Every structure is written in structure tokens, then in C-alpha cells.
């Protein structure tokens, strides 16, 4: 009986060790990750990867546990994975996560704020960062079609909605829009996200530039588009001082976050 039990333990123990290894690891460059709230496989249909838009809760402390900053149970921090919108250590630590998963991570200075530190948070040069992070939500785009209208407006569906699930916009509908605007050289101009509220207007009611009315007509609720608007359908020869010069082409990333159709009012 003892021999059988001993054989059983020898067979099982490596499995526990293997499982433990999956929950905690340290990379050669010093990045440490420990999963403190794992999610069962059947409740994790997809794991985060480059290109996904992540909503994150985080708490940052120093080595002694003194809190530097936290947004837990507040508005999540939103960023696109793999686009350099967060420090390199955070990019890697948030990769392969399930929605709802929580991790403790240790990020060495070389993968954090480096030799410059971050003065506003009193983070010194090459300071090691101690984070607790949770993946609140994950959005993965389904790319669609790209076309140019007769007005010369270029529209690309960065996330399409299936036709049978599409609530489609038309003249007189109320649009709740999220947008980011850049110029052709990449210069940032404006974003609704900086105000933490969507931009609201009635479609084809002369409340926005003509190119935006055109670009958002026939758009599905939940759809995302990249749009390039020629100056003739933007701010024309005069531009819009001080940020938009004359004859500027406008580069928008837009989301139809909510659609209230005219007959619903």
C-alpha cells in the first residue's frame, strides 16, 4: 500500500510544480509576473494579444508598498496593446491575459521609465515598479472593407458589425461619437477621449464638418472607422486656428458608440 501511495505522489507532484510554474515566472531581463487571480479556461474564450484594446485597473507602489497611484474601482485606463502606449514592461505583462484576470508584476527600471524616471509621480531614474493589474475588458477588432466616396473621402472599417446585427445611421439620427483627430504628418489635434465623454450631434444637420456627416452616414452602432477627409469637406482653405492649417487633410479614428434613431426620439 505504501509503495502504491509513493508512486502516486511521485506521479502527481510534477503536475503541481508545472501548474505553479504557469502562475509565476521571471524573465531573463528581470520582469516578474505572478497571476493572483487566474481565470478558468472555459471562462476565457480569448487572451490579450497585440492590437487588442484593453481596459485596465492598476495600482502602482514602491518597494515598501507605498502607493504611488491607483485607479482600481474607478474608470479603467484604456490602451491598445503592442502600440507603445504604455511602458515596455507593462506591454509584456498584459499580454496573454484573460478578462477578469489579476496579476502582480515587478518591472525593472530598464522596462519602465528608464533613466528619465517620471517626475510628476516622483519616480526616480531606473526605479523598479511594483504593480497590481487587472484586465477589466478586452476589445478585438474585426476588420472590414475600405472604399473612397465620390467626394474623395477614404473610409476603412477597422471594426465591422455583421449586417444582421447592424443598427444603421441615417439623416436626423443622434450620434454619440468617440474620435481621435490627427493631421497628415501625425500631429495630434483633438480627441473626445480627453474629455471622457462622447461628442453628440445630429447626422446631416450641419452640426459637424460635411465630411464627417458623409463618413458616418450608413454606419452601424458599435462600428469603428479610419477616415481621411479632404480639406474641401473639412475646414477648407482657412483651416481652423490654431491647430488645423489651411487646406489640411484630416485623419480621424471614429467610433459610433451609441445611435439614437430619429423614430426613437
Amino acid at each position: 500500500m505504501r509503495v502504491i501511495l509513493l508512486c502516486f505522489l511521485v506521479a502527481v507532484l510534477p503536475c503541481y510544480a508545472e501548474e505553479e510554474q504557469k502562475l509565476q515566472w521571471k524573465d531573463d531581463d528581470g520582469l516578474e509576473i505572478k497571476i493572483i487571480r487566474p481565470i478558468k479556461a472555459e471562462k476565457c474564450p480569448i487572451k490579450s494579444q497585440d492590437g487588442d484594446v484593453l481596459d485596465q485597473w492598476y495600482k502602482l507602489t514602491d518597494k515598501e508598498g507605498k502607493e504611488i497611484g491607483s485607479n482600481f474601482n474607478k474608470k479603467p485606463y484604456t490602451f491598445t496593446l503592442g502600440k507603445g502606449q504604455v511602458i515596455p514592461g507593462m506591454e509584456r505583462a498584459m499580454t496573454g491575459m484573460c478578462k477578469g484576470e489579476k496579476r502582480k508584476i515587478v518591472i525593472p527600471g530598464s522596462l519602465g521609465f528608464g533613466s528619465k524616471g517620471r517626475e510628476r509621480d516622483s519616480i526616480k531614474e531606473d526605479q523598479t515598479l511594483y504593480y497590481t493589474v487587472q484586465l477589466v475588458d478586452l476589445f478585438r477588432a474585426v476588420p472590414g472593407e475600405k472604399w473612397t466616396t465620390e467626394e474623395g473621402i477614404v473610409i476603412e472599417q477597422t471594426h465591422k458589425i455583421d449586417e444582421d446585427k447592424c443598427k444603421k445611421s441615417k439623416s436626423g439620427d443622434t450620434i454619440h461619437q468617440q474620435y481621435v483627430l490627427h493631421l497628415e504628418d501625425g500631429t495630434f489635434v483633438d480627441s473626445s477621449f480627453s474629455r471622457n465623454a462622447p461628442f453628440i450631434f445630429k447626422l446631416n444637420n450641419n452640426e459637424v464638418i460635411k465630411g464627417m456627416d458623409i463618413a458616418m452616414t450608413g454606419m452601424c452602432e458599435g462600428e469603428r472607422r479610419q477616415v481621411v477627409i479632404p480639406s474641401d469637406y473639412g475646414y477648407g482653405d482657412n483651416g481652423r486656428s490654431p491647430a488645423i492649417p489651411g487646406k489640411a487633410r484630416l485623419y480621424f479614428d471614429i467610433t459610433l458608440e451609441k445611435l439614437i434613431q430619429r423614430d426613437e426620439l
Side-chain angles (χ1 to χ4, degrees), residues 5-264:
L5 181 59
L6 180 60
C7 293
F8 175 77
L9 289 173
V10 170
V12 170
L13 282 175
C15 298
Y16 285 126
E18 183 180 350
E19 183 65 24
E20 179 65 23
Q21 184 63 32
K22 292 179 182 179
L23 297 178
Q24 186 172 359
W25 64 94
K26 182 176 181 178
D27 294 340
D28 292 340
D29 55 9
L31 179 68
E32 297 182 51
I33 299 173
K34 181 178 182 181
I35 300 174
I36 58 175
R37 184 186 176 188
I39 303 298
K40 293 181 179 179
E42 60 268 22
K43 295 185 178 180
C44 182
I46 57 173
K47 293 186 177 183
S48 58
Q49 64 184 31
D50 284 358
D52 291 345
V53 179
L54 308 186
D55 285 344
Q56 176 208 59
W57 279 334
Y58 70 87
K59 182 174 76 171
L60 170 61
T61 70
D62 61 17
K63 188 175 182 179
E64 287 70 39
K66 180 181 178 182
E67 185 175 303
I68 297 173
S70 174
N71 73 341
F72 262 89
N73 298 313
K74 299 177 184 177
K75 181 178 174 60
Y77 179 67
T78 302
F79 65 95
T80 302
L81 197 60
K83 298 294 184 180
Q85 297 175 2
V86 292
I87 56 177
M90 187 61 74
E91 291 261 28
R92 282 166 50 189
M94 295 293 293
T95 299
M97 289 187 75
C98 302
K99 181 179 175 181
E101 184 179 325
K102 186 184 288 187
R103 295 180 172 184
K104 281 187 177 292
I105 56 178
V106 180
I107 301 177
S110 60
L111 298 175
F113 296 104
S115 59
K116 295 182 179 179
R118 190 163 72 172
E119 185 176 352
R120 73 172 186 262
D121 290 322
S122 300
I123 297 174
K124 300 176 182 178
E125 61 179 79
D126 295 320
Q127 180 175 331
T128 300
L129 306 171
Y130 298 82
Y131 278 97
T132 301
V133 296
Q134 184 169 351
L135 181 56
V136 181
D137 204 357
L138 181 158
F139 171 81
R140 183 167 297 169
V142 179
E145 299 179 355
K146 182 177 181 179
W147 68 94
T148 302
T149 71
E150 61 183 20
E151 298 86 1
I153 297 169
V154 180
I155 299 174
E156 181 178 1
Q157 294 174 310
T158 54
H159 179 63
K160 68 178 182 178
I161 303 297
D162 291 339
E163 194 65 31
D164 60 345
K165 299 177 182 177
C166 177
K167 183 179 180 181
K168 190 170 291 188
S169 65
K170 58 185 182 298
S171 295
D173 292 345
T174 299
I175 301 293
H176 290 235
Q177 177 207 62
Q178 297 284 8
Y179 71 89
V180 179
L181 169 59
H182 291 87
L183 299 181
E184 191 166 4
D185 64 0
T187 301
F188 173 80
V189 177
D190 190 23
S191 172
S192 60
F193 293 105
S194 63
R195 293 183 290 276
N196 293 318
F199 179 62
I200 301 173
F201 65 95
K202 283 190 177 181
L203 193 60
N204 292 313
N205 199 44
N206 296 317
E207 297 179 13
V208 293
I209 56 175
K210 185 60 179 174
M212 188 58 72
D213 274 332
I214 294 170
M216 296 202 73
T217 298
M219 191 172 177
C220 301
E221 184 177 63
E223 185 179 335
R224 302 183 182 206
R225 293 180 174 183
Q226 286 184 343
V227 178
V228 183
I229 299 177
S231 61
D232 288 347
Y233 293 89
Y235 294 103
D237 293 343
N238 297 325
R240 186 175 184 181
S241 183
I244 302 175
K247 298 183 179 180
R249 290 166 64 87
L250 305 175
Y251 290 72
F252 281 95
D253 288 287
I254 57 176
T255 301
L256 206 176
E257 186 175 81
K258 182 179 179 181
L259 173 63
I260 303 174
Q261 294 179 324
R262 183 173 52 184
D263 55 10
E264 294 176 335

